[in-house]
Amino acid sequence: MAMSRDQIFGEVQVVLVDALGVDDDEVMAEATLMGDLGAESIDFLDIVFRLEKAFEMKIPREELFPAESLMNSSEFVSSGKLTATGLAELKSKMPYIELGAFEQDPDINKLGDLFTVNTIVSYIDSKLNAA
C-alpha cells in the first residue's frame, strides 16, 4: 500500500491529534513529540497502537522509539552522552532519523528532541514504500 509522504503526514497528524489532544495546526513536521506536543512516555504506547491501526501494520515499539534500550547500557551512554557506539546503534536502529546537531553534542537529555512528527512520517514511509 504505497502512499505519498503528504498522505502519510496527514494520517500521522490525525493519530497525534487523537492521541495527544493537540490541535492539528500544532502537528507540524518539525514539532517534537515531547517538547512541542507534550507527549509523555505512556503516550508512546498509544501512538504506536494508533499508528498500527491507521496504517494496518505491526510496529515494534522498540523499532520506532528505541531510546530506552540505548539508555540502559554503559556501552551506549557515558557521562550523560551517547558514546560513539551508542550513536552507531541509534543510526542502526533508526536509519530514518535525522540526527543533525545532536550528532555533534549527543547529550541524552536532548534525545527526546529527535522524535519529531517527521521522524514518524519517515519511519512509516520507510515501511510502506520499501523497495
Side-chain angles (χ1 to χ4, degrees):
M1 163 171 95
M3 294 176 76
S4 72
R5 281 188 69 88
D6 287 341
Q7 291 171 311
I8 294 168
F9 176 84
E11 288 294 321
V12 168
Q13 185 179 42
V14 168
V15 164
L16 294 175
V17 165
D18 290 346
L20 302 174
V22 295
D23 293 330
D24 58 356
D25 62 341
E26 293 178 82
V27 183
M28 299 175 289
E30 296 307 316
T32 62
L33 298 181
M34 296 174 78
D36 296 329
L37 302 179
E40 297 178 2
S41 58
I42 191 74
D43 294 318
F44 288 94
L45 291 171
D46 188 32
I47 291 167
V48 168
F49 171 76
R50 290 171 187 263
L51 288 170
E52 287 178 331
K53 205 167 167 189
F55 292 100
E56 299 177 358
M57 64 170 44
K58 182 73 180 134
I59 301 173
R61 181 172 183 256
E62 63 279 357
E63 191 174 281
L64 182 56
F65 303 117
E68 288 175 23
S69 63
L70 292 173
M71 304 289 280
N72 297 325
S73 170
S74 60
E75 178 183 7
F76 298 144
V77 178
S78 177
S79 301
K81 294 187 183 281
L82 282 183
T83 63
T85 305
L87 275 171
E89 183 73 6
L90 183 64
K91 288 178 189 177
S92 164
K93 288 184 177 247
M94 300 180 75
Y96 48 87
I97 200 166
E98 294 178 32
L99 292 176
F102 180 80
E103 196 164 10
Q104 306 310 313
D105 181 21
D107 184 326
I108 59 170
N109 294 316
K110 298 177 185 173
L111 194 59
D113 293 343
L114 295 177
F115 299 99
T116 64
V117 174
N118 199 46
T119 301
I120 295 174
V121 172
S122 293
Y123 172 80
I124 298 292
D125 186 38
S126 74
K127 292 300 182 184
L128 289 181
N129 299 319

